[in-house]
Every structure is written in structure tokens, then in C-alpha cells.
Amino acid sequence: MKKKMGLLNFIGVVMVLKFLVYFVLFFTGDCDLVLWWYNKFNKNLDTFKGKVVWITGASKGIGEQIALNLSKHGTKLVLSARSKDKLYQVKNRCIEISEGMLTANDVLVLPMDVTHLSKHISLFDNVINYFGKLDILINNAGRSQRAVWEDIEIGVDREIFDLNVFPIVNLSRIAVNYFNSIGHGQIVTTSSIAGIISAPNSASYNATKYSLHGYFGTLCQEKVNTQIHVTLLCPGPVFSNFLEDSFTAHSGEKYGITQSSTDNRMSTERCAHLSCVAIANKLRESWMAKFPIIPIVYFSLYYPVLSYKLYELYGYKLAQKLRDS
């Protein structure tokens, strides 16, 4: 009987310590617990050396910073976005920051408008013809939105899906077919915390991110026992021009409001670093955001009824403030 009580007491102490560790991490960490563990103890970033990685939306923001981060580890890069000039600026920085590991031939600038789906196959062929292979595709192109639900024109819904969803799915299917033929590969897609819990005033954007989780959640299940891996990156508020370029309720309009330097946002450099750790360790889904976003996500997922009651008490204005400032 004493041995049994001793074992129960030991289990109780372990559970209390586990809770305390979780509590501290919730209030001090800037990512989910699994990603925190890998970033702390097993980054694996040296595995990028010699791999060929294609990044869309690579001319600025998170995409640019991921490219810079990978270049430090000798990764051969394909950089895509609409602006050729900006891509060459990123290329030059990648070569410089690689400290001799990369030459001009190791970074391919491949301008593209991802919404031109008919060109995806020929662009993919360009990558394979140039490097002879592709190891990782990082889908990073996309735009956010700020608009009241009932004011959104249906044309805006179509435009956002035509940018944030269909190009990613189309290019990824081409890549997966190629990965099937060689027996390995990785699809990485930049989603959002808004693809896990809905954010106010972004209905169309939220819907595109939820769609990505549906598409790539299915792909992950279908490839679970293969060497083809799927990673969803879910950043929260990040310092970039994402807010200024956001869709609104009306077609052809941009939100136009810039962020403040005092906003509670994660830096693009930190977001890119955590993203690279998630990619290197082939994590299924990774969240990254400054406090209090990560605890809110955990609470909303595991205690949805209570979280909705709190939302009723404090309203969407607090949620909007947490998101945009």
C-alpha cells in the first residue's frame, strides 16, 4: 500500500511540475511547445546544406527572411515573386550572408505571378532543368484582409482564393507528383494563426487559411507513411507590410494602414528562424507569435465553450487590438 501511495505521489509531483513548466512557457515562449522544444534542443538547420528550396513570395517579408536564413546554411535557392528587381536584391543579400557557401549560380531568380496557373508547369520544369532536383517547395505568397463580413463583395472572396489558395494547391500538386517520382520531398505552406482560430474583420482571409489546412491536412494523412512531408507554418502578427497591402471589402482596394514600431508583433527574422526550425524537423504544424497569442490558441482549441464565453464578455475589439497592435 505504501509503495502504491508513493507511486501516486510521484506521478502527482510530475504532473504538477509539467503544469508549471507549461505555464511558464505559455507566458515566456513565442511558439507552440513542440516547436519550442526543437528550437531549444534540436534545430537541425545543418540539414539544409546542399538542398534545393523554392520559395514563392520571396521578395519581402517572411519569404525574404526565410531565404536569408537558409542561405546561412548553404541552401541552394529558387526565389520567386512578381518583382524581378527585388528578387535580385534578395539574391545578392543571400550570397553575401552565406559567407562563401553560395555563388551566383546557387541562387536562381524566377519571377512569377502565382495566379497564372497555366505557367506553373513550365516554371517547375525550369527549376528542375536548372538544379536537376527540388527538395522543398515553400508556398509563401499571399495577402491578408481587413473588412466587415457583410460588406465584402463576392468578387473579393474570389480574388483572395485565387491568390491565397488555388495557386498554392496547383503548384503543390505539380511538386507532389515530382516528389512521388523521386520518392521524397517536402511541401511547406505559410498559413496563419487565423487558419486555426478565426480573427474578426477578415472573413475571406480566414476562409483561405482554413482551406489550406483542409487541403494540406488531407495531403499529410495520405503521405503519412512516405518520405513526402507536409509542414504548415502558422504565424501570428509579424512586422511586415502585410497589413498595408491587405484586401478590404472592395475589389481593387488596399487597406493602406501601416503598422507602428511599438506594436506587439514578432520580427520577420524571428518568424523566419522558427519557420526554418519547423521545416528542418518536418513538423506537421507550427505556431509562432508573441504573447498572449499562443496561450489564446491553446485555450480556444482545448476549451472552446469557455473561450467563446470570454469572447462574448470582451468582444471582438480586444481580439482586433491583439491582432493589429
Side-chain angles (χ1 to χ4, degrees):
M1 185 68 178
K2 288 183 178 179
K3 288 183 178 180
K4 185 176 181 180
M5 290 301 296
L7 178 61
L8 290 175
N9 288 336
F10 175 75
I11 293 173
V13 170
V14 170
M15 293 303 294
V16 170
L17 289 174
K18 181 180 178 181
F19 174 80
L20 289 174
V21 170
Y22 280 10
F23 186 81
V24 171
L25 291 178
F26 281 149
F27 286 89
T28 60
D30 57 2
C31 58
D32 66 82
L33 296 176
V34 175
L35 180 56
W36 178 89
W37 174 268
Y38 279 101
N39 182 54
K40 192 74 173 177
F41 300 109
N42 195 27
K43 293 183 177 68
N44 275 335
L45 297 178
D46 57 335
T47 60
F48 286 120
K49 186 175 178 60
K51 288 188 176 180
V52 176
V53 179
W54 186 2
I55 307 170
T56 66
S59 63
K60 56 187 177 182
I62 296 173
E64 176 187 5
Q65 290 301 322
I66 288 177
L68 294 173
N69 201 303
L70 291 177
S71 68
K72 298 175 186 177
H73 303 284
T75 311
K76 297 180 180 181
L77 298 168
V78 182
L79 306 176
S80 288
R82 288 179 298 177
S83 174
K84 186 176 181 179
D85 292 339
K86 289 182 180 179
L87 289 175
Y88 272 105
Q89 291 174 12
V90 176
K91 173 178 178 173
N92 292 335
R93 289 188 64 197
C94 286
I95 295 169
E96 179 183 358
I97 206 170
S98 75
E99 296 184 344
M101 285 188 288
L102 298 179
T103 68
N105 292 331
D106 294 321
V107 183
L108 173 63
V109 168
L110 190 67
M112 70 181 296
D113 183 334
V114 294
T115 63
H116 295 165
L117 306 189
S118 62
K119 296 183 179 180
H120 284 188
I121 292 178
S122 62
L123 290 167
F124 193 92
D125 289 342
N126 286 345
V127 173
I128 303 304
N129 291 334
Y130 187 87
F131 281 116
K133 67 171 185 173
L134 177 67
D135 296 296
I136 303 172
L137 170 64
I138 301 178
N139 297 295
N140 184 67
R143 284 171 61 191
S144 188
Q145 179 193 37
R146 297 296 182 273
V148 176
W149 195 96
E150 61 268 27
D151 294 339
I152 301 171
E153 299 169 353
I154 196 66
V156 173
D157 293 303
R158 292 194 182 98
E159 286 178 35
I160 297 181
F161 270 81
D162 283 342
L163 174 61
N164 287 5
V165 179
F166 300 134
I168 292 173
V169 173
N170 190 64
L171 189 58
S172 294
R173 282 183 175 145
I174 296 168
V176 169
N177 279 312
Y178 167 76
F179 293 151
N180 285 337
S181 70
I182 64 172
H184 63 88
Q186 187 174 7
I187 297 289
V188 180
T189 297
T190 302
S191 177
S192 170
I193 292 295
I196 304 168
I197 54 172
S198 295
N201 296 333
S202 299
S204 312
Y205 175 76
N206 295 340
T208 63
K209 296 305 181 180
Y210 271 82
S211 294
L212 292 176
H213 283 253
Y215 273 113
F216 290 98
T218 301
L219 177 62
C220 185
Q221 290 175 341
E222 293 178 4
K223 301 300 180 184
V224 68
N225 291 318
T226 72
Q227 291 302 309
I228 298 172
H229 303 279
V230 179
T231 297
L232 280 167
L233 305 174
C234 303
V238 173
F239 278 109
S240 68
N241 59 354
F242 214 52
L243 184 62
E244 186 176 359
D245 289 339
S246 292
F247 285 96
T248 65
H250 309 292
S251 183
E253 187 176 82
K254 288 187 178 182
Y255 191 53
I257 295 179
T258 58
Q259 61 207 359
S260 169
S261 60
T262 60
D263 286 351
N264 184 38
R265 297 172 177 270
M266 178 178 283
S267 70
T268 51
E269 293 85 356
R270 176 63 175 172
C271 183
H273 167 75
L274 292 172
S275 296
C276 288
V277 173
I279 296 166
N281 289 282
K282 300 178 174 62
L283 301 185
R284 163 68 180 82
E285 181 176 300
S286 294
W287 315 336
M288 50 214 76
K290 296 187 71 174
F291 180 83
I293 302 299
I294 299 299
I296 289 173
V297 176
Y298 273 107
F299 191 77
S300 298
L301 288 179
Y302 292 110
Y303 304 98
V305 175
L306 288 176
S307 67
Y308 191 75
K309 289 297 180 182
L310 288 173
Y311 192 81
E312 286 181 334
L313 288 173
Y314 294 103
Y316 82 91
K317 289 184 178 179
L318 177 59
Q320 186 70 11
K321 183 178 180 180
L322 287 173
R323 186 188 188 197
D324 284 344
S325 65

